[in-house]
Amino acid sequence: MAIVLRFVDKQGYIRERFFDIVHAHETNSLTLKKEICDVLSRHNLSVQNIRGQGYDGASNMHGEWNGLQALFIQECPYAYYIHCFAHRLQLTLVATSQEGSESDWYLITARDYKMGSHFSCICSLFTEYEDICSVLIDVINYGNTSTQRSEAHRVYDFIASFDFVFVMHMMRDILGFAQVEEEFENKMIQLHYRIDVFLATVDSQILEMKNRFKEDVIELLILSSALHPKDNFQAFNIERICQLANKFYSANFTNQEKLHLRTQLELFQIEFSCNSQLQNLSSLQELCQVLAKTRKSMCYTLIDRLIRLILTLPVSTTTTERAFSAMKMIKTCLHSRMEEDFLANSMIMYIEKEIARTFDINSIIDDFDKIKSRRAQFHMSHTVK
């Protein structure tokens, strides 16, 4: 089991750091919770400070009553569980697609039938009948060759005959009725797929999404969008932001701070309308970074705190999946008998290369030497003459 911590640093950047990997002998929720709590307690981290948790879609993780997320919520009600959105959407689409393949036919558009094209030709012939006869008469009288004149004469005699005119009128009426019947049939087919298939599929998708995306999590995300800076804070809503703080993060704000939050929001609304540094932002992370960079976070401390709480929510388990990919590269057939501590430490060094590069070799040697007295001498003595 890989443990990844998500937090927002002082500069306003979202960080997801690989923390530890634990070999769980049992996969039930109680055992997993105990292992996670042991890891957190070894590093003096309290479960009460958890503000979000995310796991895979296994039943022992997301179970509403006995799952791992439920056990943590019982101990810390503000540790909101958010299943990976990409995974949830994929499960929703798979479940919906299994309802039936008939909905695929709705994407096929009605094609043009030969009957309809014949009816169009008959109508065009009726409209241009007199012009056609006039052109044929001109060719008969003024044709360049005798062959053209004789052919035009033959065609004119044919279309001017009673049989041709009678059949033309009859075919127009027959094809006209057939065209109306065909259009009616096409409309009925489209109506069938629209009501019986398409709307039924949409209803199934909505029902599946409601089952996958819980109402409390959706409400949390909707209220959080009121702070989104997109389109120059178009969605900014003071009432929703205050409702977010009161309902979902009441433990992080005192009653006095909740009243003061509204005042800060009103001042912030004036600020972002005239401050160019707060405009044209596209995400909450950018807003948090700008507040930290311009030191506006010192003026709007409560708003900055609320933004950081929102950004802490885990929306994806990508970093955790990458940790298992890294373990496959470290624990190869040549290192198949690595102990748990050595494997965890090796993975931390491999995954968190950015931090590992900042380590000083001499400081590592000093810390290792201070652990206990050793036979080997790590520091060379220097004598000054």
Side-chain angles (χ1 to χ4, degrees):
M1 177 177 60
I3 301 176
V4 175
L5 296 187
R6 179 185 173 98
F7 60 94
V8 183
D9 62 12
K10 294 181 179 180
Q11 288 75 34
Y13 289 90
I14 299 175
R15 303 295 185 185
E16 289 188 352
R17 298 298 188 189
F18 176 77
F19 198 61
D20 203 349
I21 188 166
V22 179
H23 177 67
H25 299 281
E26 297 182 6
T27 58
N28 61 74
S29 56
L30 288 173
T31 302
L32 296 178
K33 179 178 181 294
K34 180 179 180 302
E35 295 288 350
I36 294 175
C37 291
D38 290 344
V39 173
L40 295 178
S41 62
R42 285 201 304 267
H43 296 85
N44 296 324
L45 297 175
S46 174
V47 176
Q48 297 299 324
N49 292 330
I50 299 176
R51 289 299 177 266
Q53 48 178 330
Y55 313 103
D56 58 12
S59 58
N60 61 336
M61 296 294 189
H62 74 81
E64 189 171 354
W65 303 108
N66 298 318
L68 180 60
Q69 61 92 14
L71 297 180
F72 273 111
I73 288 179
Q74 291 174 7
E75 189 170 349
C76 179
Y78 303 101
Y80 301 112
Y81 167 66
I82 297 183
H83 186 188
C84 178
F85 279 4
H87 191 202
R88 277 189 176 184
L89 184 59
Q90 181 185 11
L91 293 176
T92 302
L93 295 176
V94 170
T96 306
S97 63
Q98 293 175 350
E99 295 291 333
S101 60
E102 189 180 6
S103 58
D104 297 338
W105 290 98
Y106 184 76
L107 300 176
I108 302 177
T109 58
R111 63 182 184 270
D112 293 333
Y113 292 95
K114 292 182 178 180
M115 194 74 72
S117 60
H118 289 168
F119 180 70
S120 300
C121 293
I122 293 293
C123 291
S124 299
L125 184 59
F126 260 93
T127 304
E128 302 176 3
Y129 182 76
E130 293 183 359
D131 294 335
I132 293 173
C133 292
S134 299
V135 171
L136 290 174
I137 292 173
D138 291 339
V139 174
I140 293 171
N141 295 328
Y142 309 107
N144 294 328
T145 62
S146 59
T147 303
Q148 289 181 349
R149 291 192 295 270
S150 61
E151 184 66 21
H153 196 279
R154 187 185 66 80
V155 173
Y156 177 78
D157 290 342
F158 175 73
I159 67 174
S161 64
F162 174 79
D163 293 341
F164 180 84
V165 175
F166 176 77
V167 172
M168 184 173 63
H169 280 78
M170 183 178 65
M171 291 301 296
R172 183 190 64 173
D173 295 339
I174 293 175
L175 293 177
F177 287 119
Q179 178 73 11
V180 173
E181 184 179 356
E182 182 182 335
E183 291 178 356
F184 177 75
E185 183 179 355
N186 289 338
K187 289 182 179 179
M188 291 301 297
I189 293 174
Q190 292 180 5
L191 190 63
H192 161 69
Y193 283 114
R194 182 176 300 173
I195 295 177
D196 299 337
V197 178
F198 181 72
L199 294 182
T201 303
V202 172
D203 292 339
S204 176
Q205 288 179 343
I206 293 174
L207 181 62
E208 190 68 26
M209 284 186 175
K210 286 183 178 180
N211 293 333
R212 298 285 181 183
F213 297 88
K214 301 301 181 182
E215 292 184 1
D216 55 345
V217 176
I218 297 300
E219 184 182 6
L220 171 60
L221 297 177
I222 291 175
L223 294 177
S224 300
S225 65
L227 263 172
H228 204 286
K230 187 178 180 181
D231 298 329
N232 294 329
F233 293 89
Q234 178 126 26
F236 189 82
N237 190 307
I238 295 178
E239 294 299 329
R240 285 190 172 186
I241 298 172
C242 292
Q243 183 182 355
L244 173 66
N246 291 327
K247 186 173 182 178
F248 292 97
Y249 295 110
S250 58
N252 296 96
F253 299 91
T254 64
N255 293 331
Q256 188 66 28
E257 287 177 336
K258 292 175 184 177
L259 296 175
H260 190 46
L261 175 62
R262 181 179 294 273
T263 304
Q264 285 194 8
L265 289 170
E266 293 173 352
L267 295 174
F268 184 70
Q269 189 173 20
I270 301 173
E271 175 84 18
F272 69 69
S273 61
C274 58
N275 191 339
S276 59
Q277 292 179 316
L278 296 174
Q279 296 175 359
N280 299 322
L281 302 178
S282 59
S283 65
L284 272 176
Q285 183 179 359
E286 288 187 21
L287 176 60
C288 190
Q289 293 170 8
V290 170
L291 291 177
K293 183 178 180 180
T294 58
R295 303 186 67 82
K296 291 291 183 181
S297 57
M298 305 298 293
C299 301
Y300 305 106
T301 54
L302 301 179
I303 297 177
D304 181 70
R305 186 191 307 173
L306 185 58
I307 292 174
R308 291 173 181 270
L309 289 171
I310 296 171
L311 293 177
T312 305
L313 291 173
V315 295
S316 175
T317 57
T318 306
T319 306
T320 310
E321 299 294 338
R322 289 176 179 172
F324 285 104
S325 299
M327 184 174 64
K328 293 180 181 179
M329 301 182 68
I330 295 174
K331 194 173 183 179
T332 62
C333 58
L334 300 177
H335 303 96
S336 58
R337 302 185 64 180
M338 296 175 64
E339 295 184 357
E340 295 179 14
D341 293 339
F342 183 56
L343 175 62
N345 294 333
S346 299
M347 289 183 63
I348 291 176
M349 295 295 293
Y350 180 82
I351 296 173
E352 302 297 342
K353 298 184 182 71
E354 178 184 350
I355 300 177
R357 291 192 183 98
T358 62
F359 293 163
D360 183 23
I361 301 297
N362 293 324
S363 64
I364 296 176
I365 295 175
D366 292 340
D367 292 338
F368 185 72
D369 185 48
K370 292 177 182 178
I371 294 176
K372 65 178 182 178
S373 59
R374 304 177 187 276
R375 296 179 182 179
Q377 185 177 1
F378 291 98
H379 295 277
M380 301 296 294
S381 58
H382 298 276
T383 57
V384 180
K385 293 183 180 181

